[in-house]
Amino acid sequence: MCEHAMDRRAVLQAAGSAMLAGICGITGQAANAQFFTVLCSYAGGTVGAGLAPPTQYAVEVLNGIKAAINLNIPIQIFQGGVPNAAATLMPAPGLAGLFPTIVYNNQFLNALHNAGGPFAAKSVLAHEVGHHANNDTAWVKQFQHPWAKELAADFVSGLAMAKLGATSDEATQALKAMFSIFGSPSHPDTPRRLEAVISGWKEGGGKGAPKIG
Ligand SMILES: [Zn+2]
């Protein structure tokens, strides 16, 4: 399952499939997220230790988001020691180099799902996918993106949510919920982020008048 193919693209695709299926030795990898540059932490905070395989639901959500925005790169996804969700680059089992990776806190996303509905949690993962889609991987300073990168990731999140059938309210639910609870030192202010999500949502064909408040 983990043997390399000659063609690099085939290797990447196979790796993506294997990683997303939660096989190919992920549990044996025992990598620690804090050793790798974190490109985004959705609501700020530090990265703790340890990674675990994703839930099947998370894999399905990730695949759905990628399909919605026609993103065909492999993205690893793990449960891990982050306060919310993070985009980063990490090694992949048996492969050279670093790969786009998302680490999420399962309890956090479950809480968001329960409080704000399925799209609330999905929009957070879509934000992290957005960083990879926008090729933020050159950014190296932990938790210090220019706001432009955060807003671009929010735009992708809104785009994906519209394509997946979310209303504007559903697409912005996560931001509204989180800023009402924590605020965030590492991300642009709520209104600008909400505007970015709505812009993406409109671009994605969201129907009806945006409801932001
Ligand atoms: Zn971000």
Side-chain angles (χ1 to χ4, degrees):
M1 184 62 75
C2 300
E3 289 180 5
H4 290 200
M6 293 299 290
D7 177 65
R8 177 167 171 79
R9 190 169 171 182
V11 169
L12 286 171
Q13 288 174 344
S17 299
M19 287 184 277
L20 292 175
I23 54 177
C24 208
I26 280 178
T27 53
Q29 186 186 23
N32 291 324
Q34 74 270 30
F35 296 140
F36 301 94
T37 301
V38 173
L39 299 167
C40 165
S41 178
Y42 189 74
T46 55
V47 178
L51 296 177
T55 64
Q56 184 59 37
Y57 179 71
V59 171
E60 289 169 4
V61 170
L62 174 60
N63 286 340
I65 290 165
K66 286 171 58 181
I69 62 172
N70 296 318
L71 183 67
N72 295 314
I73 61 170
I75 298 176
Q76 301 185 99
I77 183 166
F78 301 100
Q79 297 184 58
V82 293
N84 39 84
T88 185
L89 296 175
M90 292 182 65
L95 297 173
L98 298 173
F99 290 82
T101 303
I102 292 171
V103 183
Y104 70 95
N105 178 319
N106 199 47
Q107 287 182 314
F108 170 82
L109 288 188
N110 276 339
L112 205 50
H113 178 106
N114 291 334
F119 284 116
K122 288 180 181 181
S123 70
V124 171
L125 289 182
H127 173 100
E128 309 306 341
V129 171
H131 279 298
H132 291 307
N134 293 335
N135 199 25
D136 283 359
T137 51
W139 189 253
V140 294
K141 287 186 180 176
Q142 203 162 320
F143 305 144
Q144 292 180 20
H145 301 183
W147 283 12
K149 288 183 181 291
E150 295 313 315
L151 297 174
D154 285 331
F155 180 92
V156 173
S157 179
L159 179 74
M161 290 306 98
K163 300 260 186 203
L164 292 172
T167 65
S168 65
D169 202 35
E170 289 169 327
T172 54
Q173 200 59 242
L175 281 179
K176 286 185 280 196
M178 286 203 304
F179 281 96
S180 69
I181 298 169
F182 314 128
S184 171
S186 65
H187 278 284
D189 61 279
T190 310
R192 290 185 66 194
R193 292 194 65 184
L194 290 174
E195 286 173 15
V197 171
I198 291 297
S199 296
W201 179 81
K202 288 179 180 171
E203 182 71 22
K207 297 294 191 293
K211 177 171 175 284
I212 297 182

